[in-house]
Amino acid sequence: MNEEKEIAKGKERSQELQTEAVEPEAAFVPLVDVIEKQDGVEILADMPGVSRENVEASLEEGVLTISGKVSPPTMQGMSLQSGEYETGSFYRSFAVGEGLDTEGIEASMKDGVLRLRIPKSEKYKPKQIEIR
Amino acid sequence: MVIWDRNRGFGYDPFDELRRLSRQMNRLFGSPLSAGIGETFPPLNIWSDNEKAVVTAEVPGIKKEDLDISVENDVLTIKGHREPKQIEDGESFRRHERGYGSFRRAVGLPFSVEPGQVKAEYKDGVLRLELPRHEASKPRRIDVK
């Protein structure tokens, strides 16, 4: 059983600097859905303001890390009347079990949502046993 | 908590019951009426100068056609809907943090705007509105004769 090893804790975005991340600015924790499927795992992460070019997903020694950069909007000469959110980088990492086929990861980015699909390794897929 | 566990292959899976329960809970709390999107969704930033106001909103994963924006005098209303992630039998949520459902937000702008000249752009999950100030609401210098 894999214990969750989230470096980035907290349901709400936190502005705490991640100790592992060498980011000069604060990093936000994206909200995610993690869905376990018969043949793999799907991860959806809300990263508003992150374009396809500025998102990264990497897998190293069983730790999946997703990160994205948001460039703050340019508002020349304008003053902020009301601010409810801040822009910055997104960062979150997960421990990934050995039952997943890390070679087969597929990633896509649309409307600020990162979607990752990680297939299960062949030997961990549920198998139908034929009874003769 | 388990984020995902290996499939155990043969025999009895003690987590099967938990998965079933988790599915039922997801269904129970999954209706749009009790969706995770609160009254402060979407978060907005409002900027202004003497000529215009600019409003940005974080609305990731929403289709353009599911956004409904209207302006009346100095009140901006943003309505929309975010589709819930559908899962099939045999699938289960290990994390379910992203909100979904219908939302409606009305905010006061610093001044009345020209409703016909509002520009809206949706990119990478961020909505950006440019709202030019209504001529009549611009401050006017009065010359004393």
Side-chain angles (χ1 to χ4, degrees):
Chain A
M1 195 190 304
N2 298 309
E3 285 296 316
E4 176 195 352
K5 210 168 79 186
E6 264 179 53
I7 294 161
K9 283 245 185 278
K11 218 176 159 182
E12 296 294 322
R13 287 176 180 191
S14 86
Q15 288 187 53
E16 285 171 22
L17 197 62
Q18 311 304 325
T19 45
E20 272 84 356
V22 196
E23 293 277 351
E25 329 142 53
F28 296 111
V29 180
L31 296 177
V32 298
D33 284 349
V34 177
I35 300 127
E36 181 169 351
K37 300 179 174 233
Q38 299 283 2
D39 59 350
V41 167
E42 184 177 349
I43 298 175
L44 296 166
D46 281 349
M47 297 165 108
V50 179
S51 63
R52 195 174 305 219
E53 300 78 48
N54 289 329
V55 69
E56 264 178 47
S58 66
L59 198 113
E60 220 175 315
E61 288 175 10
V63 178
L64 173 72
T65 302
I66 55 175
S67 61
K69 279 201 165 44
V70 183
S71 13
T74 45
M75 299 287 174
Q76 258 187 344
M78 304 190 82
S79 56
L80 186 66
Q81 300 297 322
S82 154
E84 293 175 349
Y85 71 89
E86 289 179 55
T87 50
S89 301
F90 288 98
Y91 183 95
R92 193 164 178 175
S93 58
F94 309 88
V96 176
E98 57 185 88
L100 295 170
D101 171 19
T102 53
E103 297 290 306
I105 296 184
E106 282 172 44
S108 61
M109 187 79 191
K110 193 175 180 254
D111 296 335
V113 180
L114 172 68
R115 180 180 178 184
L116 293 172
R117 284 162 166 275
I118 315 172
K120 278 184 187 164
S121 304
E122 273 310 316
K123 61 174 176 172
Y124 291 103
K125 278 186 190 161
K127 280 185 193 89
Q128 198 75 46
I129 315 286
E130 201 187 326
I131 299 162
R132 293 164 206 253
Chain B
M1 241 183 116
V2 184
I3 185 160
W4 52 64
D5 47 63
R6 269 172 262 171
N7 190 286
R8 250 145 278 260
F10 307 98
Y12 172 70
D13 182 354
F15 287 89
D16 216 18
E17 186 63 20
L18 275 172
R19 282 201 198 99
R20 196 180 54 79
L21 191 70
S22 147
R23 259 202 310 278
Q24 284 176 349
M25 295 291 270
N26 285 335
R27 267 188 210 143
L28 189 64
F29 297 109
S31 71
L33 287 171
S34 59
I37 294 179
E39 279 170 20
T40 53
F41 187 90
L44 305 172
N45 282 348
I46 304 171
W47 283 268
S48 72
D49 59 17
N50 285 332
E51 300 296 317
K52 62 180 185 299
V54 172
V55 177
T56 59
E58 288 192 325
V59 279
I62 290 172
K63 292 187 201 107
K64 257 183 235 181
E65 53 270 28
D66 287 340
L67 279 171
D68 178 357
I69 301 145
S70 59
V71 191
E72 200 182 338
N73 300 320
D74 62 347
V75 178
L76 165 72
T77 306
I78 301 175
K79 284 186 276 189
H81 178 77
R82 181 152 108 158
E83 292 288 333
K85 171 72 191 169
Q86 300 287 352
I87 60 168
E88 290 158 29
D89 274 348
E91 300 182 351
S92 58
F93 279 106
R94 287 305 160 105
R95 282 277 174 286
H96 200 183
E97 302 168 356
R98 301 166 67 241
Y100 56 87
S102 297
F103 57 87
R104 180 184 182 279
R105 266 205 88 175
V107 282
L109 299 167
F111 36 70
S112 289
V113 298
E114 304 269 4
Q117 290 170 33
V118 175
K119 276 186 240 161
E121 186 191 71
Y122 181 66
K123 191 170 173 268
D124 299 328
V126 177
L127 174 71
R128 183 196 161 109
L129 300 170
E130 234 182 88
L131 310 116
R133 186 168 187 167
H134 199 280
E135 273 306 319
S137 83
K138 283 184 185 169
R140 224 153 289 197
R141 201 183 162 85
I142 316 286
D143 284 331
V144 181
K145 293 181 188 181

